[in-house]
C-alpha cells in the first residue's frame, strides 16, 4: 500500500512561495538563474519533507503491507508537487492575463471616451468665442469700459481653454493670466478695495502646473472684508529664488466672516492640496495664518 499523505500542504506552500516571492524577486527582475535555482530548492526541500513524513506515517500509523523506500517516495513527491504547482501556476497566469486584458479594454474605452469628450470640448470654445465677438460688436463703441471688460474676459477664457491643456505652462504666462484675473475681479468689487500685487524677480521660463495660484487669489477676493469705515485690502506677493516659487496671499476679513471662511473655502483648497500632492509631492509647503483681522496663505513650490 502506497502512502499518500499531506500533498496539499506542500503544494499550497510551494505555490505561494513561487508566485508571491520567487517570481516577484527573481523572474520579474530578470534574475533567471536565481529563479530556476530557487524553484529547484523549494520543490526539492518540500518533496524531501513530504517523503520523510510519509515514510514515518506509513511505518508507525498506516502499517503499510509493502513498505515503500525513501527514494521512491522522494521521486514521487518531486514529480507530483512539481506537476501540481506548475498546473496551478499556469491557471493563475491565465486568470491574471484575462483580468489584465479586461482592464486594458476598459482603459481603452475610457481613453476613447475622453478623447471624444476633448474633441467635443474643442468645438464649444469656438462657438463661445464667436458669440463673444458678436456681443463685442453690438456694444456701442462709445462704451469703451464694457468693451474692455469683454476683452479681458475673453483673454481669461482663452487661457483656460487653450493654454491650460498642457501639463505644465511657462511661469510668465501664468503670471500674465493672474494679472488679468486680478484686474477682472477688481471690477466686481468696491473702488475702496486696495489690491497690492507684487510680482518680482520671476524666472518666466520655469514651468508650473496651470491654475494653482489662482485658487488662492479667488479665495482672497471671495472673503475680503467690505468695511465702510476701515481699510479693505488684498496683498499678493510672488517671487522666485532659484527654482523655488514663493507666494503669499493676504486679505482683510470681518469678524462675521470667520466661520464662513472655514466652511466655504473647503472645496477649492482641498482640490488645490490634492493637486499639490499629486504634482509636487514633498516639494511644496502650504501654510495658513488666520486671526480676527486678516487671513494669510503661503505657498512655496519647488519647480525643479
Amino acid at each position: 500500500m502506497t502512502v499518500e499523505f499531506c500533498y496539499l500542504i506542500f503544494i499550497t506552500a510551494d505555490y505561494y512561495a513561487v508566485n508571491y516571492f520567487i517570481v516577484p524577486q527573481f523572474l520579474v527582475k530578470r534574475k533567471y538563474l536565481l529563479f530556476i535555482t530557487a524553484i529547484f530548492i523549494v520543490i526539492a526541500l518540500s518533496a524531501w519533507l513530504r517523503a520523510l513524513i510519509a515514510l514515518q506515517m506509513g511505518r508507525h500509523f498506516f502499517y503499510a503491507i509493502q513498505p515503500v523506500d525513501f527514494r521512491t517516495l522522494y521521486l514521487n513527491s518531486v514529480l507530483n508537487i512539481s506537476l501540481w504547482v506548475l498546473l496551478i501556476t499556469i491557471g493563475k497566469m491565465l486568470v491574471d492575463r484575462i483580468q489584465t486584458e479586461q482592464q486594458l479594454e476598459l482603459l481603452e474605452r475610457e481613453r476613447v471616451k475622453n478623447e471624444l469628450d476633448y474633441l467635443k470640448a474643442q468645438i464649444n470654445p469656438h462657438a463661445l468665442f464667436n458669440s463673444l465677438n458678436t456681443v463685442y460688436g453690438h456694444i456701442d463703441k462709445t462704451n469703451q469700459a464694457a468693451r474692455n471688460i469683454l476683452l479681458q474676459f475673453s483673454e481669461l477664457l482663452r487661457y483656460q481653454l487653450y493654454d491650460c491643456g498642457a501639463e505644465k505652462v511657462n511661469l510668465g504666462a501664468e503670471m500674465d493670466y493672474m494679472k488679468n484675473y486680478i484686474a477682472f475681479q477688481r471690477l466686481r468689487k468696491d473702488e475702496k478695495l486696495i489690491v497690492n500685487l507684487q510680482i518680482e524677480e520671476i524666472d518666466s521660463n520655469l514651468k508650473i502646473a496651470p491654475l494653482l495660484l489662482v485658487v488662492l487669489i479667488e479665495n482672497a477676493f471671495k472673503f475680503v472684508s467690505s468695511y465702510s469705515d476701515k481699510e479693505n485690502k488684498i496683498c499678493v506677493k510672488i517671487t522666485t529664488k532659484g527654482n523655488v516659487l514663493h507666494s503669499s496671499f493676504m486679505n482683510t476679513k470681518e469678524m462675521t466672516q470667520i466661520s464662513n471662511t472655514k466652511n466655504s473655502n473647503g472645496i477649492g483648497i482641498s482640490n488645490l492640496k490634492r493637486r499639490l500632492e499629486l504634482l509636487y509631492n514633498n516639494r511644496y509647503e502650504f501654510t495658513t495664518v488666520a486671526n480676527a483681522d486678516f487671513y494669510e496663505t503661503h505657498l512655496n513650490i519647488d519647480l525643479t
Side-chain angles (χ1 to χ4, degrees):
M1 178 180 178
T2 302
V3 178
E4 301 293 337
F5 179 74
C6 60
Y7 267 124
L8 182 60
I9 297 175
F10 291 102
I11 291 172
T12 303
D14 286 7
Y15 164 77
Y16 278 100
V18 169
N19 285 276
Y20 294 97
F21 179 76
I22 296 176
V23 170
Q25 291 295 323
F26 302 125
L27 183 62
V28 174
K29 297 178 181 179
R30 299 184 179 182
K31 299 178 180 178
Y32 301 119
L33 182 60
L34 290 175
F35 170 71
I36 295 173
T37 303
I39 289 182
F40 176 79
I41 292 174
V42 167
I43 292 179
L45 180 61
S46 62
W48 180 81
L49 287 174
R50 186 264 160 188
L52 182 63
I53 295 174
L55 184 64
Q56 297 300 320
M57 295 291 289
R59 288 177 178 175
H60 301 289
F61 293 95
F62 297 117
Y63 304 107
I65 299 175
Q66 296 179 349
V68 181
D69 63 288
F70 181 81
R71 183 173 179 275
T72 301
L73 281 173
Y74 178 73
L75 293 177
N76 288 338
S77 299
V78 169
L79 179 63
N80 283 289
I81 292 175
S82 300
L83 178 62
W84 280 106
V85 170
L86 177 63
L87 290 175
I88 297 174
T89 300
I90 291 175
K92 179 181 181 298
M93 293 175 64
L94 290 175
V95 172
D96 290 344
R97 179 66 180 270
I98 293 173
Q99 291 178 345
T100 300
E101 290 180 351
Q102 291 176 343
Q103 291 176 353
L104 291 175
E105 184 179 352
L106 179 61
L107 290 174
E108 179 63 17
R109 287 201 300 267
E110 292 180 352
R111 186 193 67 80
V112 172
K113 181 179 180 300
N114 291 335
E115 184 175 355
L116 290 174
D117 290 341
Y118 175 76
L119 293 175
K120 291 178 183 178
Q122 290 288 78
I123 298 173
N124 293 332
H126 287 294
L128 181 58
F129 278 117
N130 289 335
S131 300
L132 289 176
N133 289 332
T134 301
V135 174
Y136 182 84
H138 281 79
I139 297 177
D140 193 288
K141 293 182 178 180
T142 60
N143 192 351
Q144 195 61 40
R147 293 168 73 91
N148 290 337
I149 291 173
L150 191 61
L151 285 176
Q152 279 185 321
F153 177 72
S154 178
E155 287 300 316
L156 291 174
L157 192 61
R158 186 184 306 278
Y159 180 79
Q160 292 186 20
L161 293 175
Y162 294 112
D163 297 342
C164 292
E167 182 179 351
K168 300 286 180 65
V169 297
N170 285 335
L171 186 59
E174 186 75 2
M175 293 301 101
D176 290 339
Y177 170 78
M178 291 179 59
K179 292 175 185 177
N180 290 333
Y181 184 85
I182 290 174
F184 187 77
Q185 288 293 325
R186 289 197 65 174
L187 298 172
R188 302 172 52 244
K189 293 294 183 178
D190 192 282
E191 294 181 355
K192 295 181 180 180
L193 175 62
I194 300 172
V195 179
N196 185 4
L197 174 62
Q198 293 180 306
I199 299 179
E200 303 173 345
E201 300 178 3
I202 290 293
D203 186 350
S204 300
N205 295 322
L206 288 174
K207 297 288 187 178
I208 187 173
L211 305 179
L212 285 175
L213 303 180
V214 71
V215 175
L216 302 175
I217 294 179
E218 182 181 8
N219 265 11
F221 275 97
K222 183 176 182 180
F223 297 109
V224 67
S225 60
S226 56
Y227 291 117
S228 59
D229 56 343
K230 292 183 181 180
E231 183 179 70
N232 305 303
K233 191 174 184 179
I234 293 177
C235 294
V236 178
K237 184 176 181 179
I238 303 173
T239 186
T240 57
K241 293 182 180 179
N243 293 324
V244 180
L245 172 74
H246 299 269
S247 63
S248 64
F249 307 82
M250 188 280 295
N251 64 274
T252 57
K253 67 178 183 181
E254 302 176 26
M255 290 294 296
T256 56
Q257 290 180 314
I258 295 177
S259 60
N260 291 335
T261 301
K262 293 180 180 179
N263 297 329
S264 301
N265 66 1
I267 296 178
I269 296 298
S270 297
N271 289 345
L272 172 63
K273 289 181 178 179
R274 182 57 178 162
R275 289 187 67 196
L276 289 170
E277 289 175 4
L278 294 174
L279 296 169
Y280 302 102
N281 186 27
N282 297 325
R283 293 193 289 122
Y284 77 94
E285 295 179 358
F286 182 83
T287 58
T288 60
V289 178
N291 63 24
D293 298 320
F294 69 89
Y295 184 83
E296 188 170 2
T297 303
H298 298 271
L299 175 60
N300 302 327
I301 308 175
D302 184 354
L303 301 178
T304 303

